[in-house]
Amino acid sequence: MDSPYMHWAKTHQTARYTLAISGIKGLKLGEVGATWDDLVLDGGDGYGLPALRAALAAKAGVSDDRIVLATGTSGANHLAFATLLAPRDEVAMERPGYEPMEMLARHLGATVRYFPRRPENGFRVDPADVAAAVTAKTRLIVLSTLHNPTSVATDEATLRAVGEIAERAGAKVLVDEAYLDAAFDSAPPSAGRLGDVFVVTTSLTKVFGLSGLRCGWIVAEPALASRIWQLKNLFGVNEAHPAACLALCALRRSGEILARARLILEANRAMWEAFLVGREDLAVEGASRGTTVFPRVLSYDADALCAHLRERYETSLVPGRFFGSPSHVRVGLCGDPEIFREGLARLGSALNDLEGAV
Ligand SMILES: Cc1ncc(COP(=O)(O)O)c(C=O)c1O
């Protein structure tokens, strides 16, 4: 079992002018507000750094006994899936969607059924489509908000409707909120506050721009959180303690750190929108916020565009085929705005080359 997307990301995402990243980059140690004395090298006993659990519980608006620490959102997804799934169970999963989650469910012996997020519906979750993918064997419904790759948010009414579908089936709803902070002050409520049928996974990786800390966590009802902690004892003891100390510093600075992310995203989005004006070879359905956009490439093969852009222009995009949408590409708005500006200019040149070739 493997993840072709993750292998691609580790070998092809970086480029001189990358438009492929989905997490804010370049935060410095000083911007996290940490000093050497904050980095405690021993420690890490027990069920996670208590102050970090408390800070994450406060951020999520829940009690500490609902928080399980994990290695990034990926580790959180693994722990939650492994606790909730047994071989031959079914998982209803969004498509387009984040492929490593699908591979994880398959790795655990589950069968994956998809519910579509339709471009003509602005990639929103339609509870009727979710219901159609749920059977008596479904144990987990999985979606992301903000949605990777389109950045579309799922509103509270839709989440509650999906929660009711899960309750009727005896399943849970796992909501991957790795990108939710990118909705800033217009964020819908975290699913972790909407009832015990929801399990939330997230991290400081994307919008905080702290991918190196690998600070992830799960929000789940206390009995399930306790089961997850027990299973986690088989996988490893705890996360790296100095990383937990740095995560705690970062959470105390969340206002400044998120304000920085917002400035980068707003600058890059303004450039993206200006770039789209008059471009008849790209169509965007979906959100006008978040860390990524997911245009459809209208006249050319999307994979060929990605390959040409990389080979000729040292610029990378994520091919939509990794999300189950081969005619789309994912553009990340997270990079340094000067790099992003140059990357967009190069994307324009690559599109123009293909236009000349047809
Ligand atoms: C939806 C989703 N979940 C999880 C992850 C992985 O997050 P982390 O790096 O915190 O493990 C990603 C990264 O791209 C993602 O897009």
Side-chain angles (χ1 to χ4, degrees), residues 289-307:
R289 60 179 162 189
T291 63
T292 57
V293 286
F294 200 52
R296 182 194 297 269
V297 184
L298 293 176
S299 316
Y300 332 109
D301 179 75
D303 264 355
L305 170 64
C306 295

Side-chain angles (χ1 to χ4, degrees), residues 22 72-74 77 98 148 176 178-179 203 205-206 214:
S22 63
T73 311
S74 319
N77 286 335
Y98 183 59
N148 184 11
D176 180 318
Y179 299 96
S203 61
T205 301
K206 300 293 178 181
R214 311 312 302 145

Side-chain angles (χ1 to χ4, degrees), residues 2-268:
D2 63 354
S3 165
Y5 167 69
M6 192 52 77
H7 177 68
W8 178 91
K10 288 181 173 179
T11 52
H12 284 72
Q13 197 167 39
T14 47
R16 188 162 178 198
Y17 302 101
T18 181
L19 299 176
I21 50 172
S22 63
I24 301 288
K25 288 278 181 218
L27 197 67
K28 302 277 190 308
L29 198 58
E31 291 172 281
V32 171
T35 65
W36 286 113
D37 290 341
D38 290 309
L39 293 179
V40 180
L41 297 183
D42 58 359
D45 311 326
Y47 286 95
L49 181 63
L52 179 59
R53 278 179 77 175
L56 295 174
K59 176 169 163 52
V62 299
S63 50
D64 302 18
D65 56 355
R66 290 179 179 254
I67 302 291
V68 182
L69 300 178
T71 306
T73 311
S74 319
N77 286 335
H78 186 194
L79 285 171
F81 276 45
T83 306
L84 292 167
L85 293 176
R88 289 177 290 286
D89 286 346
E90 289 189 7
V91 180
M93 212 169 257
E94 64 190 8
R95 197 176 182 100
Y98 183 59
E99 177 253 78
M101 286 210 268
E102 177 190 330
M103 294 315 193
L104 176 59
R106 293 187 194 286
H107 170 66
L108 293 166
T111 301
V112 176
R113 289 176 185 266
Y114 301 106
F115 58 89
R117 299 183 62 138
R118 301 171 195 276
E120 60 275 22
N121 187 29
F123 287 108
R124 281 185 287 277
V125 172
D126 182 338
D129 285 325
V130 177
V134 168
T135 75
K137 291 184 177 174
T138 306
R139 289 293 153 270
L140 202 53
I141 299 171
V142 178
L143 59 98
S144 58
T145 184
L146 306 183
H147 178 219
N148 184 11
T150 67
S151 294
V152 169
T154 299
D155 61 34
E156 181 173 342
T158 306
L159 283 173
R160 287 193 188 278
V162 174
E164 282 167 20
I165 295 165
E167 264 162 358
R168 283 198 293 276
K172 295 276 187 194
V173 185
L174 185 139
V175 185
D176 180 318
E177 295 184 355
Y179 299 96
L180 188 61
D181 284 327
F184 301 108
D185 39 24
S186 62
S190 164
R193 292 211 291 261
L194 300 184
D196 289 352
V197 74
F198 293 100
V199 179
V200 166
T201 55
T202 186
S203 61
L204 297 182
T205 301
K206 300 293 178 181
V207 192
F208 274 72
L210 292 168
S211 61
L213 295 189
R214 311 312 302 145
C215 175
W217 65 99
I218 301 165
V219 182
E221 48 94 1
L224 176 57
S226 169
R227 278 173 59 208
I228 300 174
W229 276 114
Q230 296 313 306
L231 181 65
K232 187 182 172 191
N233 284 338
L234 272 60
F235 293 163
V237 178
N238 266 318
E239 287 65 47
H241 189 64
C245 298
L246 285 176
L248 186 56
C249 294
L251 285 161
R252 291 181 177 140
R253 283 264 177 122
S254 20
E256 293 93 323
I257 293 173
L258 292 176
R260 171 184 179 272
R262 189 173 189 160
L263 279 180
I264 293 170
L265 292 172
E266 284 176 358
N268 289 347

